[in-house]
Amino acid sequence: MNDWPGGRSGDRQGRHGRGSADAQPEGARVMPHVRPGSVPPQQRQGYDDVAGHAAPYDSGYNTGQVYGIPRGGHGGRGGGPGGGHGPGTPPAPPYGPGARPAPDWGRRLKVGSITVVAVLLATTIGTYFWADGKMRREVDLAKVVERPQEGDCTTYLIVGSDSREGMTAEDKKRLHTGSADGKRTDSMMILAACGSGNTMISLPRDSDVEIPTFVGSESGKTFQGTGRRVKLNAAYAEDGPELLVRTVEHNTGLRIDHYAEIGFAGFANIVDALGGVELTIEKGFKDKKSGADFKAGKQTLDGEQALAFVRTRYAFAESDLARTKNQQKFLAALANQAATPGTVLNPFALYPTLGAGLDTLIVDKDMSLFDLAEMFFAMKSVNGGDGKSMNMPVSGSRGGNLVWDRAKVKELVRQIQNDEKVTVTGN
């Protein structure tokens, strides 16, 4: 059957062009004009009608079907000549073949910011619970009896012990700590964090104090006070941190809110985790017992040197009083370096520092990470000049022990309890 108007032969005889065997090309054919609407819809698709008659040819130019383009489609990628993918292909953007929409930078920045905040929040929460779980809350201040009234400032009793816990024989030799069993207080100081200014007060371990009535931390038995006078560090050796807090409170009248203690190994490890602590030493000194060998000037002390610096006493004429001043100076410098954005916001610095300190740091049962942070920032402010450091005022000695100046101590405690600027001076 001839489907072409004008009678095109169904065989290939008399055809020219590709596949033609004739010598001459056929002439141009004239396509009949088809008026719109003159062909039934079912015949416009190029199919036979229901009567079996051939449907007139539909060029497709009126319907967008040329080259297989879907109706309503567009040219170019996804719908044009050489790029059509058939029905169902979404049309290409109208503003240029193959062009992609401009990126929505506002949305991307918003999503990126939310992601960063979420990561930081998750890291912060994770760090909090990790560090909180490592804190050794071993001191129960509820066992301390006959306590003074609470004041307006937050007070910390910070203790450096000579505990060798966790140290190898090589560590003891390197750090010049000896191998004594048990532990004793090597340094003690009160840190008062106040709105009027922070004050750090060193308590010489040779201070002459009275052991009051107390309840044994392990036995629960009450031991009546007899007026017995001893060196302050003997209270710790007798019944640990709880009796030390009881003795300090009884002899000063100042309530201690929190207790923090660190041993030799922990102290040295914190310093090393920070990469050393920078310190200016006014006058060089040596001491065989502590291993100290320092020249004057600014220098960075590692853990071994730092421990020697805070333990040296025999190289100074003032002995323990000179040592407590060095301890204050170094702890303030340590806090100043630890409580910086470079350490706090850098996980590669924060985690090693927290890990080194929290493993050996012993605190009271009510101490939180926020309390610990407040303690460090208060120490930092002392180093920055916003606070005051001093020794407990001393008026003389008794049997080789240092006697506190009772009038000055009373005024010092009153100022701290009332959150007033400390004007009392120490030795």
Side-chain angles (χ1 to χ4, degrees):
M1 179 146 183
N2 193 340
D3 293 333
W4 283 81
R8 180 176 179 179
S9 175
D11 60 38
R12 304 184 67 87
Q13 298 298 326
R15 296 176 60 190
H16 297 274
R18 181 176 298 178
S20 173
D22 291 349
Q24 298 296 327
E26 63 181 347
R29 297 180 184 272
V30 178
M31 299 295 291
H33 176 69
V34 181
R35 291 176 298 162
S38 63
V39 181
Q42 66 269 23
Q43 294 183 1
R44 294 178 188 175
Q45 304 303 318
Y47 298 103
D48 291 345
D49 61 13
V50 294
H53 301 292
Y57 173 73
D58 185 0
S59 67
Y61 280 102
N62 292 330
T63 63
Q65 297 298 320
V66 180
Y67 302 112
I69 304 175
R71 297 189 183 205
H74 299 276
R77 181 178 300 176
H85 298 288
T89 303
Y95 38 76
R100 293 184 177 181
D104 187 347
W105 290 109
R107 182 175 179 277
R108 292 187 180 185
L109 288 174
K110 182 179 179 180
V111 172
S113 300
I114 293 174
T115 302
V116 170
V117 170
V119 171
L120 288 176
L121 182 61
T123 301
T124 301
I125 294 174
T127 299
Y128 177 87
F129 284 105
W130 169 78
D132 188 73
K134 290 179 70 69
M135 291 183 68
R136 298 175 57 181
R137 298 181 175 91
E138 301 176 5
V139 179
D140 189 359
L141 297 184
K143 295 179 180 180
V144 180
V145 298
E146 301 178 23
R147 310 196 68 187
Q149 65 179 7
E150 294 184 2
D152 294 332
C153 301
T154 301
T155 55
Y156 301 83
L157 180 59
I158 303 172
V159 175
S161 77
D162 64 0
S163 170
R164 280 81 171 171
E165 180 183 354
M167 297 175 65
T168 64
E170 180 61 29
D171 290 335
K172 295 174 184 178
K173 181 178 180 181
R174 177 175 59 88
L175 297 175
H176 302 273
T177 65
S179 301
D181 294 329
K183 58 180 182 179
R184 289 150 292 278
T185 52
D186 206 57
S187 63
M188 293 161 284
M189 59 186 66
I190 294 172
L191 175 65
C194 305
S196 59
N198 302 314
T199 304
M200 189 181 292
I201 309 159
S202 286
L203 309 175
R205 68 177 190 175
D206 293 339
S207 296
D208 184 81
V209 295
E210 178 186 355
I211 296 293
T213 297
F214 69 97
V215 175
S217 59
E218 297 295 333
S219 66
K221 180 181 177 181
T222 298
F223 296 88
Q224 293 295 332
T226 61
R228 176 166 53 101
R229 305 195 71 85
V230 298
K231 291 182 179 181
L232 180 58
N233 63 343
Y236 182 98
E238 186 171 332
D239 197 50
E242 288 85 359
L243 179 55
L244 178 61
V245 171
R246 169 75 175 118
T247 302
V248 169
E249 289 186 344
H250 174 77
N251 285 270
T252 63
L254 182 66
R255 185 185 181 95
I256 300 299
D257 296 311
H258 293 293
Y259 177 93
E261 173 191 328
I262 192 164
F264 284 161
F267 181 82
N269 289 340
I270 290 176
V271 175
D272 286 335
L274 287 170
V277 174
E278 189 176 86
L279 193 71
T280 298
I281 299 177
E282 284 78 13
K283 185 178 180 180
F285 60 89
K286 293 183 179 182
D287 181 32
K288 290 184 178 180
K289 289 183 177 291
S290 66
D293 187 1
F294 298 104
K295 295 181 180 179
K298 181 179 290 187
Q299 50 205 286
T300 299
L301 277 57
D302 61 20
E304 178 182 347
Q305 294 170 320
L307 191 57
F309 182 81
V310 299
R311 293 185 62 218
T312 298
R313 63 183 299 193
Y314 297 105
F316 310 117
E318 294 179 288
S319 187
D320 203 38
L321 291 177
R323 181 172 69 165
T324 55
K325 291 179 182 178
N326 281 343
Q327 290 170 349
Q328 289 179 348
K329 181 177 181 178
F330 185 85
L331 286 179
L334 172 66
N336 185 63
Q337 189 162 323
T340 60
T343 299
V344 176
L345 300 180
N346 181 1
F348 296 102
L350 178 62
Y351 277 77
T353 303
L354 285 176
L358 295 177
D359 282 341
T360 56
L361 182 67
I362 297 173
V363 298
D364 65 271
K365 292 183 180 295
D366 294 326
M367 174 84 91
S368 69
L369 281 177
F370 292 105
D371 295 321
L372 188 62
E374 181 185 41
M375 183 184 81
F376 269 93
F377 278 101
M379 291 169 61
K380 178 180 179 179
S381 75
V382 172
N383 182 73
D386 295 330
K388 180 175 183 177
S389 60
M390 57 183 289
N391 278 325
M392 185 64 80
V394 175
S395 61
S397 62
R398 181 188 297 120
N401 297 343
L402 297 174
V403 178
W404 293 350
D405 187 321
R406 303 307 307 174
K408 284 188 174 183
V409 170
K410 183 177 181 180
E411 178 62 14
L412 173 64
V413 169
R414 187 195 67 79
Q415 291 176 344
I416 292 175
Q417 286 178 330
N418 297 325
D419 196 359
E420 298 177 5
K421 185 177 180 60
V422 173
T423 58
V424 175
T425 58
N427 299 77

